[in-house]
Each structure stands twice: as C-alpha cells, then as structure tokens.
Amino acid sequence: MQSQEELEFHRAYDRVTEAYIALDTSWRYTHVNTVAARMLGRNAKELIGRHVWTEFPTPEDDPFRQAYETAMAEQRAMTVEAFHPPRGRWFENRIYPSPDGLTVSFLDVTDRRRAEILAAGQNNILAEIATQAPLADSLRAIARLHEALDPGALCSILLVDDDRTHVLHGAGPSLPDTFNEAIHGQEIGDARGSCGTAIFRRERVVVAEIATHPYWAGYRDVALAHGLQACWSTPVLGSREQVLGSFAVYYREKREPRPDELESIEKMLSITAIAIESDQMLQHSRERDYFFDMSMELYCIYDIRTQRIIQANPTFTAVTGYSAEELGSCHFLDFVHPEDLGRARGAAEVLNAAGMRVEKVVYRFRCKDGSYRWLSWESIVGPGLLGFAVAHDVTEHRIAEAALAHADTHDGVTDLPNRQMFELALESLLEGGEPVWVLLVGLDRFHAVNESLGHLIGDEVLKIVADRLAAIVGARSAIARFAGDQFAIAIEVQREPSAEALARRVREAIAHPVEGEGYRTALTASVGIARSPDHGEVPSDLLRRAEAAMDRVKRQGRDDTCLFTRQHMKDVEHRLSIGHRLRGAAGRGEMELFYQPQLHAGSRELIGFEALIRWNDPERGRVSPLSFIPVAEALGLMPELGRWIVGEACRQAKAWRDEGFDAFAISINVSMQELQSGGLVAQVADALDRNGLPPSALCIELTESSLMENVERVRGTLSELKALGTHIALDDFGTGYSSLAYLKHFPIDKLKIDQSFVKGLPGDVNDAAIARTIVAMAHQLEMLVSAEGVENDAQATFLTEIGCDELQGYHFGRPCRAGHARAWLSGTSAGG
Ligand code: C2E
Ligand code: CA
Ligand code: CA
C-alpha cells in the first residue's frame, strides 16, 4: 500500500524522469511509471506485485542485477550503465535504496553510448591509419569497434580482389578462423552469399536466416557448422564510388536488423573505406618509392629556395659516391663542373616557381672521387617550391660520341687523322700563305707483310711506322694515313727547307727493321713530293701530284723519292688519253698478238711461243704493253682485254694445228686483275673447247705479285686451271719477295727467271749464284725452269750448263707477228 505522500512523490518523479520503477525489499514491483511500462513493454498495473527477476529472468552476474542487490544490501545509492542484451541497448540505471526497497530510474543511453564508443574508437583507428598501421590491424580494430557498439554482432570485413571477381579476407576477429578461411577467395556474384551478392549488386543484402536463404545455398553448411544464423552485408564504397569490399555482421541467432543497428553499421562504412583506400594509396606510393629506389635513373628532390638536395635515390648516391647527407650539405651548383656552370645556373633560374620545368639540361656532375659524370636533367618545380629532378647518366654515350667523332676522322689502326682531316689541316697550312711540301709515302709491297705475317701483325707494323713518322714531323705540319699502305705529310717549306732531306728521314725511319714477337721485317717506301704553290694551291691538286710522283717511283722499281715535275704531269695526261682510247680497242681490231719462241735448252728445239700483246693505236702507232697494260689495269679493262687475248691465242694455235703443227704450246700472260676477277677459268676452258685444243697446249704465265693478293682465291683459280690441264708458269721470278717455300702452296709447273738476273750472266757472280739457286731449288720442287731475256750465246750456254730447262730471248728470236712465227714452226717441222 502506498501512502498519499509516496504517491505524490512518484507522480512528481514521473514528470522529471524518463522511466522509473520502485521495488520492495522482496524484489516486487510497487510502482511502474508509464514511460517505464512502455520501455518494458508491459502494462504498468499488471507488473505491480510481480517479482522482478521472475518477470524478467536475469542471470546472477548481470551488472544491473548486481548493482540492485548491492544497493539493497548496503543501502547505498548506485548508478550503473550497461548493455542490456535482451533489448540490445544501453541503459543507465540510478538506484536509490530506502527502507521500503529500491527506487530505480532508468534511461536508454544507447545513442550517447554509441556516440562515445564510436568517437573514441574511430579516433584510435584514424590515428592508426595515419601511422600507416597494416590494413589488417585497422580492419580488425574497426570490426571490434562495431562489435563493441552492437554487442552480439560478429563482424566480417571482406576486400575485393584486384581482379574484382573474388573476395579476400579482411578482418573477422570474432568469427572462427576456419570460417574466415572458408570465405577467403569466394566468388563475387549474384546470389553468392550475403557478401558476394552485396558487392555484386552494390547494395545491402540482409539474410535473416542463413539456414533457409537461397543466397546461402552453397555456403550454408559452413556457416551453420560455426553456429552462424544471420548475416547482413553492406558494400563498402570508395571515394570514387567503387566497391572496395563488404562490411558484414553475423549473428548466432536468426534476426532482422533494427533501424538503429543499420544506422551503426552505416557509421562504420566510411572509416572502413578510409582504411582500405589509405592502404591502397600507401601501396601505390610504396610501389612508386620502390621505383624511385630501383630506378637506374638518378632522382632527387631539392629545395628551390636553398638550392640543396633534400632527397636522393640510391642510384644517385651510387653513381656520385655521395651519401644523401653529403648531397644535401652544400649548394647544388657546387657539384657542377666549372665549365658547365652557365648551363646549370640558367636552368636554376628558370626553375623558380611551381610548374616551371626544364628538359635535357646536360652538364658534368662532380662525383666524390673527383671524376665527373655527364648527367642529362629533367626537372620540374612542384607545389611547396620543391624541385623534382631526374637525371640520366649520359657519360658512356658522350664518350662513345667522342670516340665516334674520332673514328670518323681518324684511322683505327694507327690513330692518325684520315684523308679528310688531312685535307682540312693542309688547307689551313695553305691559308698561312707560306709554301708547303706535300709528301705521299707509299710502303713498298706492304701486302706481302700482311700475307706472310697476317693482318694483325700487319696492323702492328703500320702502327709502329705511323708512330715513327709522327715523331719526325712536328707542329705546323700534318700527317695522316691514307689508303692501306700510304701516309701523307704536309709541312711548311719554311720549317723544312729540303723535302728530299725529310723524305730521306722518312725512308730511313721506315727502313729501320720492325721487330715484334716472333717476327722481324724491314720495309722500304716510295715517296712522292709536291710543293705549293708551284704544283697546286689546293689540297686535292697537291695530293694528286704527289701521288703521280709516288707512282712514278713505284713504276721505276720502288724504294726511292721523286719530286713532282711538269713532265710527270704530261705523263699523267698521256696515261689519261691512252686510257680513253684503250676502251674497246680490241673490239676495233687494234690489238695484235706477237709471238716469241721458247726453246728447249738442251736441244734448242722450239717448244712453244709466248704471246705478247701489241696495240696498234691509230693515233700513235704501235704501243708497248709496258705503257698501256698498267693503264688498262687501272681502268679495270684487263678482264675484257684478257678475254680477247685467250681467244686470239687459241684461235692462232688452232690455225697452226690445222696446218699440221702440233708440237708447240702457247704461253699467255695473265694479269693480277684477271686472276682475281673470277671468270678466267671459264674463259680458258671455253676458248680451248671452241678451238678443239688440248689444255696442255696452253701455259698460263702469272707474276709473283699476283700470288700475294687474295691468296685463297688465287690458289682456287690456279687449282681449277691445273685441273683443266693447262700449265702454269711463274713469270719474272726473283723480283718479288716470295720464297720458294711459299710457292709450294701453289700448283706451279714452271719458274721463269727474270731477265734482270740473266743480264749479268755469266760474269756477275751474284746473278750466277741466284740463277743456280733458283734452278736447283725449283728442280727440288719438281718445277721446270725457264730463262727469259737471253740475248747472247754466253748466257744461253751458262743457263744450259746450270740445268735450266728452257730458254727465251732476242738471242733466239724477238717477238714477231704470227706470220713470222709460222716460219719457226715449219723450220722445226722441217728440221724434225
Ligand atoms: P713479260 O711477260 O716478262 O714478257 C717478256 C718481255 O720481255 C716482253 O716485252 C718481251 O718482248 C721482252 N723480251 C723478250 N726477250 C727479250 C730479250 O732478250 N731482251 C729484252 N730486253 N727483252 C726481251 P713486251 O712484249 O714489251 O711485254 C712487256 C710486258 O708486258 C710483259 O712482260 C708482260 O708483263 C706484259 N704483257 C705483254 N703481253 C701481255 C699480254 O698479252 N697480257 C698481259 N697480261 N700482259 C702482257
Ligand atoms: Ca711473260
Ligand atoms: Ca717476264
């Protein structure tokens, strides 16, 4: 029974509190106000007299119950704030004991409570995100926060895989690990669980009962096995509305969400998105940093105001040798090569405001070891007056460029300037107005060095010769290497009054033996000299004339010096005009073969003829082969002329055979060019075939020097001729450098001792010794020996005595027309 006073009190209390009840000492309701009744969901009157813990069964350890009991037992007022699981809300209870029992006012503080937890929790999480905590940690904290807000909820955060087709585990701290593992990697799609569907549809999916919901058909068992009954999943959207993942809550009972629960889920979404997106950004910038660290380019960030480097990547420090601190320790320009300061400063002046940029600014950067690297910079000023610069190390490129420029103007073997450079240097010498000597130095028979010692040693020898020549000429002069074995020197007459003296020094330098590992060689040189302004005033004229003089030396036996004269000029012109008329001369019937008899030394019987060409030039009459063959060779006319010679010689042989003479052979001379040109064998075979001649009726004469060039090719051609059945003779033997041992490599049948050795016979002991040696050694190599230029009986007798097999010379017969030669044939046949 309540007193009027009490009733008044309760009514007053009713007005000031939200909800309020009174209990007697035996825990029975004595008063329930309307707000409380509504909150408890009961009729106030019905509750009166009922036992509170029977009416609302509450575990012993319930915080509210414990507070009630304490307040009752100890008679002290208590305030307790706790979560009330049956209502899923927070309440604050103020408990006032009295001798009659307890008066309790209670307030739903869920909203305030959630706001507090949320604020504190989110602040912590944001702080973690800001300190770049691992994403898993942030997500776990978010899940836990939500679980604190809505006790009973089991939170799961899933992430969308990069390929956007699968979900990845994000956080699920209260869910069993096995369940989290089972979800990890599941497919995204319609009706694929709550999360797969929510992500796919970009909308919340509430599954109140997993056991029966069709979306869970494929995953039901694993959920139920872990006691999970309900799952509501909400997609997490990023700043660009992209789906980042899902935020789901599971419950261990079937249930629909209340609006306030959806509201608190809603509150977790943005922080989840922030956590995921910050991590992605972090990931990106880490990747960028990785780039920055790994790049082979040099990167740095510098302060525009102080002009100091404040950050540099590892490549920068590796290339320059400075640590990042050292790079930042001084003004940027302090690292720049003094000569490049202008360029670097110019760039720095441009880079004075945000957005300004420079490209391809190249300058030398001083490294710690004092060396310089060529760096090509690109730089842009970002916000905050920071400069972002990337440099490409172009040092190797620069070196290569310089080398290329050098290679363009210099000879790779001797490192002397090339012809182009020489002409430039000569030009500037000529501009001085003083007379200038131009020397063209040709090494004699240099190809023999290459052939016998190999090109590597050949190059070595050239280099040594070049060094010697460079030492002879000094400043105000120019030296260069021209084609293969030629050097050019230009020097002011003032500095070197006697070109002959200079040429002598040059030739002495060259004649000095060159010794290397396993070889020793001595060279000679042919030197041609021209002089400005007498022989020309421009480099090309002077060079051409020096060359004409040098050619003259070569033609006259080499190893000498010749000063260009006007007469040489005429010779050159003469040769030019010969060349002009030589073209097509055979076709016009201007060529003729003369025949010189060749005799058996012992019996002095005719064994054959050497065919020697003559040119009946309509303008000049008969021209010696000595003057037109070199021109024909120089003009590349020899193969054409050679074809005519082979054809004509064979035609003549056939004609004589047709007359019944067959005990003779015809020797034809073949030039180096014909031997190299490749068509010779076919030409010979064709001519023999056309005239029905046996190949043994033909002997091919070639000179020693022909054997020196393109050895393999020549050897091949000779073997083919040999296989064909023609004989091969080596002409002018003894004038070249080939040793007899060298000849072993070629299929040669006969050596023809050069006329120069025959001339002094039998009196000249040297010539006699040479002739003897040649005969003896040739015989050892099973070759025949012939002597040409036999002009008297003494020579013939001597040669016969030393065993020479064949003889040829004016003593027996001069080269003559075919008609005259026929007399020899009939003479023989008459005699035989
Ligand atoms: P070679 O092959 O050594 O010819 C021998 C040269 O010596 C010929 O001069 C010949 O007339 C000359 N001779 C012969 N016997 C004597 C002698 O007893 N005393 C002297 N002083 N000379 C003698 P030729 O006919 O003026 O030919 C000169 C060179 O021209 C030849 O030298 C040869 O290298 C070349 N030649 C001539 N005809 C041809 C040809 O048809 N084809 C090619 N490729 N070269 C040829
Ligand atoms: Ca000959
Ligand atoms: Ca000869």
Side-chain angles (χ1 to χ4, degrees):
M1 274 279 144
Q2 290 184 321
S3 65
Q4 186 58 36
E5 201 184 10
E6 267 185 325
L7 217 59
E8 283 303 315
F9 168 78
H10 287 312
R11 286 209 181 109
Y13 213 89
D14 254 358
R15 285 195 293 276
V16 295
T17 59
E18 289 273 321
Y20 143 67
I21 58 164
L23 301 170
D24 63 16
T25 50
S26 53
W27 303 106
R28 290 173 199 282
Y29 286 99
T30 56
H31 188 88
V32 176
N33 81 346
T34 35
V35 186
R38 197 166 55 240
M39 232 181 230
L40 295 172
R42 297 295 180 84
N43 184 309
K45 288 207 176 72
E46 277 172 12
L47 283 176
I48 303 301
R50 300 267 173 105
H51 192 281
V52 62
W53 308 130
T54 321
E55 198 58 34
F56 296 102
T58 308
E60 294 284 340
D61 61 352
D62 176 82
F64 295 110
R65 181 169 179 167
Q66 284 179 348
Y68 283 29
E69 280 167 354
T70 308
M72 187 88 89
E74 297 175 12
Q75 286 290 301
R76 71 184 157 94
M78 307 227 6
T79 300
V80 60
E81 185 179 311
F83 186 72
H84 187 57
R87 324 219 128 254
R89 296 187 69 82
W90 266 275
F91 290 94
E92 181 197 78
N93 285 13
R94 291 171 194 234
I95 310 156
Y96 304 100
S98 75
D100 300 330
L102 299 175
T103 302
V104 181
S105 70
F106 51 93
L107 200 60
D108 183 332
V109 294
T110 306
D111 292 341
R112 172 177 59 77
R113 181 71 196 215
R114 276 193 179 145
E116 280 169 11
I117 296 175
L118 192 66
Q122 291 205 338
N123 283 344
N124 283 338
I125 293 164
L126 286 172
E128 272 195 44
I129 293 172
T131 56
Q132 308 185 348
L135 177 62
D137 291 358
S138 311
L139 295 181
R140 194 179 313 113
I142 291 169
R144 288 227 183 271
L145 174 59
H146 184 76
E147 287 166 358
L149 286 173
D150 273 332
L154 307 170
C155 221
S156 161
I157 302 173
L158 300 180
L159 303 171
V160 173
D161 194 2
D162 284 343
D163 62 13
R164 319 207 61 79
T165 57
H166 293 86
V167 290
L168 301 175
H169 172 69
S174 304
L175 289 165
D177 289 343
T178 44
F179 182 73
N180 284 327
E181 281 159 21
I183 291 183
H184 182 72
Q186 290 294 343
E187 253 182 89
I188 294 168
D190 212 11
R192 293 187 181 273
S194 303
C195 297
T197 314
I199 291 170
F200 181 76
R201 295 195 191 156
R202 301 168 60 89
E203 62 185 33
R204 172 171 297 139
V205 170
V206 171
V207 170
E209 188 178 356
I210 287 175
T212 55
H213 202 284
Y215 293 178
W216 279 82
Y219 321 95
R220 181 175 298 142
D221 294 346
V222 62
L224 297 179
H226 290 99
L228 305 174
Q229 302 274 358
C231 176
W232 323 324
S233 182
T234 312
V236 179
L237 301 184
S239 49
R240 287 169 290 113
E241 295 296 305
Q242 79 280 28
V243 185
L244 300 171
S246 64
F247 187 96
V249 284
Y250 287 83
Y251 284 92
R252 293 196 184 279
E253 71 262 357
K254 303 167 204 163
R255 54 174 302 198
E256 296 276 354
R258 288 194 315 267
D260 64 295
E261 286 170 332
L262 292 181
E263 214 172 280
S264 67
I265 288 173
E266 218 47 59
K267 286 186 178 130
M268 304 310 295
L269 297 178
S270 61
I271 194 163
T272 308
I274 289 170
I276 298 172
E277 285 198 313
S278 323
D279 184 68
Q280 287 177 347
M281 259 156 64
L282 200 66
Q283 202 61 36
H284 285 156
S285 76
R286 278 209 192 102
E287 282 160 10
R288 243 195 341 260
D289 284 356
Y290 189 65
F291 232 39
F292 185 82
D293 286 351
M294 287 309 297
S295 172
M296 296 311 287
E297 310 280 15
L298 290 73
Y299 283 100
C300 73
I301 302 176
Y302 60 97
D303 189 326
I304 292 294
R305 283 156 301 206
T306 61
Q307 294 278 305
R308 279 165 196 263
I309 295 176
I310 54 178
Q311 258 195 67
N313 69 339
T315 304
F316 202 122
T317 56
V319 168
T320 62
Y322 296 110
S323 68
E325 293 73 55
E326 287 168 326
L327 285 170
S329 67
C330 57
H331 197 279
F332 187 70
L333 290 176
D334 292 344
F335 294 110
V336 178
H337 192 288
E339 286 171 19
D340 301 341
L341 268 176
R343 246 190 328 264
R345 227 179 249 130
E349 276 160 19
V350 173
L351 296 166
N352 58 4
M356 303 305 283
R357 73 183 301 157
V358 294
E359 273 173 38
K360 296 213 171 79
V361 178
V362 180
Y363 52 80
R364 281 163 287 179
F365 193 96
R366 197 189 62 250
C367 299
K368 196 169 181 184
D369 64 5
S371 67
Y372 283 91
R373 304 295 300 177
W374 285 95
L375 300 182
S376 171
W377 292 89
E378 256 162 68
S379 189
I380 183 159
V381 181
L385 289 185
L386 288 184
F388 295 84
V390 50
H392 187 57
D393 186 346
V394 295
T395 311
E396 310 310 330
H397 188 71
R398 285 267 163 163
I399 291 171
E401 257 179 6
L404 268 181
H406 187 80
D408 253 12
T409 54
H410 287 71
D411 160 48
V413 174
T414 63
D415 207 33
L416 288 179
N418 60 15
R419 182 175 191 128
Q420 196 188 345
M421 287 302 284
F422 180 82
E423 289 187 10
L424 286 174
L426 176 54
E427 209 163 84
S428 77
L429 276 182
L430 292 171
E431 274 163 13
E434 293 292 328
V436 175
W437 294 118
V438 175
L439 279 71
L440 203 62
V441 181
L443 301 181
D444 296 329
R445 301 188 204 279
F446 186 72
H447 55 83
V449 173
N450 273 337
E451 292 296 347
S452 53
L453 300 174
H455 283 267
L456 283 180
I457 290 181
D459 285 354
E460 208 171 291
V461 171
L462 277 174
K463 172 99 187 86
I464 292 168
V465 167
D467 290 347
R468 289 180 188 170
L469 297 189
I472 291 173
V473 303
R476 288 305 294 154
S477 62
I479 179 164
R481 179 182 174 213
F482 280 18
D485 52 5
Q486 284 180 17
F487 296 89
I489 296 169
I491 191 165
E492 283 180 343
V493 172
Q494 206 183 11
R495 286 198 55 240
E496 185 60 68
S498 164
E500 273 90 354
L502 176 61
R504 194 163 48 244
R505 293 209 301 280
V506 163
R507 288 178 47 228
E508 277 165 11
I510 292 170
H512 195 71
V514 178
E515 272 176 278
E517 246 174 83
Y519 72 91
R520 178 190 159 96
T521 176
L523 291 164
T524 59
S526 302
V527 182
I529 305 171
R531 181 191 200 271
S532 80
D534 321 50
H535 304 147
E537 291 172 46
V538 292
S540 55
D541 284 351
L542 287 163
L543 279 168
R544 201 149 34 83
R545 282 152 199 188
E547 189 176 2
M550 183 190 77
D551 281 347
R552 174 169 277 263
V553 179
K554 295 243 176 199
R555 276 201 307 280
Q556 292 176 346
R558 308 180 172 94
D559 191 17
D560 205 350
T561 301
C562 174
L563 179 66
F564 180 82
T565 65
R566 286 282 154 195
Q567 181 56 44
H568 298 167
M569 199 69 188
K570 291 214 182 80
D571 288 357
V572 171
E573 279 156 14
H574 169 65
R575 286 157 67 89
L576 281 175
S577 89
I578 283 184
H580 184 67
R581 281 174 289 119
L582 198 53
R583 261 175 229 282
R588 292 191 298 270
E590 294 167 14
M591 292 296 173
E592 186 179 5
L593 285 185
F594 272 40
Y595 297 89
Q596 183 176 32
Q598 298 173 315
L599 279 68
H600 185 266
S603 65
R604 302 283 158 93
E605 277 176 8
L606 180 83
I607 50 175
F609 300 97
E610 176 175 4
L612 295 157
I613 196 166
R614 300 290 180 262
W615 176 24
N616 299 308
D617 179 9
E619 258 178 50
R620 298 163 173 258
R622 188 171 296 163
V623 184
S624 154
L626 288 173
S627 59
F628 75 83
I629 287 204
V631 179
E633 286 202 307
L635 295 176
L637 299 174
M638 266 333 274
E640 173 199 322
L641 204 53
R643 186 196 318 272
W644 179 85
I645 293 163
V646 175
E648 173 60 17
C650 289
R651 192 200 56 76
Q652 186 58 63
K654 156 99 164 108
W656 284 331
R657 284 181 157 256
D658 285 350
E659 289 186 52
F661 308 112
D662 56 6
F664 68 93
I666 289 191
S667 295
I668 56 173
N669 294 281
V670 162
S671 72
M672 164 137 58
Q673 232 170 48
E674 287 168 80
L675 212 54
Q676 308 279 350
S677 74
L680 180 68
V681 181
Q683 250 172 48
V684 170
D686 179 60
L688 289 172
D689 190 50
R690 232 179 320 121
N691 295 291
L693 293 176
S696 58
L698 210 59
C699 177
I700 305 293
E701 291 193 8
L702 45 108
T703 57
E704 236 183 310
S705 53
S706 312
L707 297 185
M708 304 284 204
E709 303 265 331
N710 267 329
V711 175
E712 285 319 309
R713 181 164 208 170
V714 170
R715 206 205 310 273
T717 305
L718 294 188
S719 303
E720 284 178 58
L721 286 172
K722 190 80 195 130
L724 203 64
T726 60
H727 294 288
I728 296 168
L730 192 62
D731 210 351
D732 303 346
F733 188 74
T735 55
Y737 281 75
S738 49
S739 62
L740 278 162
Y742 181 68
L743 298 181
K744 266 197 311 202
H745 303 296
F746 301 91
I748 292 163
D749 302 296
K750 179 167 39 172
L751 292 186
K752 293 184 77 175
I753 302 175
D754 190 65
Q755 318 189 358
S756 56
F757 301 110
V758 173
K759 199 171 272 164
L761 295 179
D764 188 309
V765 275
N766 279 333
D767 286 354
I770 289 170
R772 267 205 184 87
T773 312
I774 293 175
V775 172
M777 294 191 70
H779 284 167
Q780 261 188 359
L781 292 171
E782 297 182 323
M783 294 177 188
L784 292 175
V785 183
S786 163
E788 60 181 351
V790 180
E791 294 186 346
N792 54 54
D793 193 52
Q795 291 167 341
T797 306
F798 176 82
L799 286 161
T800 309
E801 275 170 14
I802 63 168
C804 188
D805 303 286
E806 298 173 10
L807 301 172
Q808 177 183 352
Y810 293 170
H811 179 58
F812 306 106
R814 291 187 173 251
C816 58
R817 291 213 145 103
H820 278 101
R822 194 191 165 283
W824 275 94
L825 285 168
S826 46
T828 329
S829 62

